[in-house]
Amino acid sequence: MFALDGASGDFWVFGYGSLMWNPGFAHEEAVKARLFGYHRALCIHSHVYRGTPQRSGLVMGLDKGGSCVGMAFRVAAREEEAVTRYLHERDMMNYVYRDLK
């Protein structure tokens, strides 16, 4: 999940699962954050991390409602392309999230 940081062009990435302790991308700062309107839930069917193509397993995702505590990472504008590509490869393999960019 991304949010722009005003005129600087920097942007924020919200991590609610493994991104919290292993972001895997360059960032300028990391702070504890709460995301309102979504909560952590076992709501994504996957055969990549759990299960098989014939019988998928459930993995953590964000579902509508409530709030979620995680980490927010401020990423420099100059890193936008590399970080966006990395996150897409890491977390969009199931195409369950909308790309906000």
Side-chain angles (χ1 to χ4, degrees):
M1 196 155 284
F2 302 99
L4 294 177
D5 190 21
S8 73
D10 290 357
F11 65 101
W12 290 86
V13 174
F14 179 76
Y16 63 91
S18 63
L19 279 181
M20 289 189 296
W21 57 87
N22 183 22
F25 57 85
H27 54 279
E28 303 299 309
E29 67 179 301
V31 296
K32 186 176 175 181
R34 179 178 294 272
L35 178 67
F36 292 94
Y38 295 91
H39 68 279
R40 198 180 280 113
L42 288 169
C43 61
I44 298 174
H45 289 270
S46 174
H47 65 271
V48 176
Y49 298 113
R50 303 277 189 277
T52 67
Q54 297 76 26
R55 189 172 181 145
S56 61
L58 288 174
V59 296
M60 260 327 148
L62 291 177
D63 205 355
K64 290 183 179 178
S67 68
C68 177
V69 174
M71 293 295 291
F73 301 93
R74 185 171 60 85
V75 178
R78 68 182 175 281
E79 298 292 337
E80 179 179 5
E81 185 178 334
V83 171
T84 301
R85 184 175 53 248
Y86 167 77
L87 290 171
H88 197 275
E89 290 171 4
R90 176 177 168 152
D91 288 336
M92 293 291 281
M93 64 192 73
N94 290 331
Y95 297 98
V96 296
Y97 294 118
R98 287 180 296 148
D99 194 343
L100 299 177
K101 290 256 170 200

